[in-house]
Amino acid sequence: MKVEFAPINIPLKRRIQTVAVLQWIFSFLLLEFCCGFFVILILGNFWFLAVLYLLWLYLDWETPCTGGRRSQWVRSWTVWKYFREYFPIHLIKTSDLNPNHNYLLGFHPHGVLVAGAFGNFCTGPSFKNLFPGLTPYLHIMPIWFGCPFFREYIMSAGMVSASKESVSYVLNNEGGGHASIIVIGGAEESLNAHPGSLTLNILKRKGFIKMALKHGAHLVPVFSFGENELFKQVANPRGSWLRNVQEKLQKIMGFALPLFHARGVFQYSFGLIPYRQPIHTVVGSPIPVKRNLNPTTEEIEQLHALYLQKLRKLFEEHKGNYGIPEHKSLVF
């Protein structure tokens, strides 16, 4: 890759965009700050505030599984506009989604930090403008909602738990108009997020198919072109000592720890700021699903196979528009 150096006199807009991306990245580090601040409250003179918050946490524990507590004010922060423009991030519509139905959107690939999912479904007006009448809910690992204070921040952006109870709550809306967005590959897939990688962890992921059948939610494949191009990872092929350690830690903690890097603020050689690579998140056509409270294994397998077929078709139809060579295809 050709190494380029940014000019010293960086335009104001570019600097603002970089700051916006830094806020997104350090939002993940906010987790540690929130936990540390809570410990300080407990051990300090303001321990009673920590006790009050623990009481609130107890009373509010189920909220991430019952639709969350989104804030349109937070979702509309100007900083997210600059965040989306940095890459830039685009949402592409290929078909109408009738708001009288509920939908389960399968998002692929995970990437390192799911920038496309956050930028398109948690911030800005793009989804609302393209799919009027639908409310998106981005499901993430339940472990994040156990952190004091941090849980309030991520819920305000429209994130909810990825537990079965949470998905059921969203898809149970009788009037329709709800869209569950699930990153199908999960944390494990982030370990495959190398530039050029088209490998998806999906063959054994069938829980989302069962949920769609139980609730009669239409399935929609979503592919985010450019998601794996934002960072480079330390080489971790399957069977290597690093991959083995990462997989063991993922089983213990519930989330993966990819060793990634990209560019810096003033140079393109090394840093934690993602590369300025465009992300095009393409929302496919819905797969109609009839409600079936007790689907058989065969019915789940059939719908899963159909979903894979539609996902591959979506990728093949659009890959040429976003720089994917003709000879490259998805690997399931």
Side-chain angles (χ1 to χ4, degrees), residues 68-124:
R69 186 169 46 249
R70 68 182 57 215
S71 166
Q72 192 56 40
W73 175 67
V74 173
R75 289 167 60 87
S76 302
W77 280 351
T78 303
V79 69
W80 301 133
K81 171 180 177 290
Y82 289 108
F83 165 76
R84 294 189 302 275
E85 290 179 350
Y86 171 85
F87 299 95
I89 295 176
H90 304 281
L91 186 64
I92 314 299
K93 173 183 176 179
T94 63
S95 176
D96 290 331
L97 297 182
N98 189 334
N100 293 324
H101 297 294
N102 294 317
Y103 297 89
L104 195 160
L105 279 63
F107 184 91
H108 312 270
H110 185 287
V112 172
L113 296 176
V114 285
F118 179 78
N120 285 311
F121 304 118
C122 292
T123 72

Side-chain angles (χ1 to χ4, degrees), residues 30-275:
L30 181 63
L31 173 69
E32 297 180 13
F33 172 80
C34 289
C35 292
F37 179 67
F38 186 72
V39 171
I40 291 173
L41 285 180
I42 292 178
L43 300 179
N45 295 329
F46 297 96
W47 59 268
F48 61 93
L49 293 178
V51 173
L52 289 175
Y53 185 82
L54 282 175
L55 177 60
W56 161 256
L57 194 61
Y58 173 77
L59 297 174
D60 195 57
W61 188 255
E62 296 300 323
T63 299
C65 295
T66 54
R69 186 169 46 249
R70 68 182 57 215
S71 166
Q72 192 56 40
W73 175 67
V74 173
R75 289 167 60 87
S76 302
W77 280 351
T78 303
V79 69
W80 301 133
K81 171 180 177 290
Y82 289 108
F83 165 76
R84 294 189 302 275
E85 290 179 350
Y86 171 85
F87 299 95
I89 295 176
H90 304 281
L91 186 64
I92 314 299
K93 173 183 176 179
T94 63
S95 176
D96 290 331
L97 297 182
N98 189 334
N100 293 324
H101 297 294
N102 294 317
Y103 297 89
L104 195 160
L105 279 63
F107 184 91
H108 312 270
H110 185 287
V112 172
L113 296 176
V114 285
F118 179 78
N120 285 311
F121 304 118
C122 292
T123 72
S126 295
F127 186 87
K128 182 179 179 180
N129 292 340
L130 292 176
F131 304 102
L134 285 181
T135 302
Y137 296 83
L138 179 60
H139 295 269
I140 63 175
M141 291 183 296
I143 189 174
W144 301 119
F145 297 99
C147 176
F149 306 118
F150 183 73
R151 68 191 296 273
E152 320 301 335
Y153 173 70
I154 56 178
M155 274 198 290
S156 67
M159 301 183 205
V160 293
S161 172
S163 66
K164 292 181 180 179
E165 295 78 11
S166 177
V167 177
S168 292
Y169 182 90
V170 173
L171 298 182
N172 260 339
N173 188 38
E174 294 184 1
H178 283 188
S180 282
I181 296 95
I182 301 178
V183 185
I184 305 300
E188 183 181 354
E189 192 174 86
S190 67
L191 299 179
N192 293 327
H194 297 272
S197 174
L198 295 172
T199 301
L200 303 181
N201 286 3
I202 191 173
L203 290 181
K204 296 182 180 180
R205 306 267 175 161
K206 300 173 184 176
F208 73 104
I209 298 291
K210 189 174 183 179
M211 293 299 292
L213 283 167
K214 282 190 171 184
H215 298 284
H218 295 354
L219 280 168
V220 182
V222 178
F223 195 88
S224 195
F225 291 90
E227 196 75 42
N228 284 342
E229 316 306 315
L230 306 184
F231 298 94
K232 293 181 179 178
Q233 271 196 75
V234 175
N236 60 342
R238 291 190 178 277
S240 65
W241 70 268
L242 177 57
R243 186 59 169 261
N244 291 335
V245 170
Q246 289 174 321
E247 290 177 346
K248 288 179 180 178
L249 288 175
Q250 190 242 324
K251 291 179 180 179
I252 295 172
M253 300 184 297
F255 57 91
L257 293 173
L259 298 180
F260 62 90
H261 63 89
R263 50 157 289 192
V265 177
F266 301 110
Q267 44 74 37
Y268 287 77
S269 300
F270 190 83
L272 293 179
I273 300 177
Y275 294 112

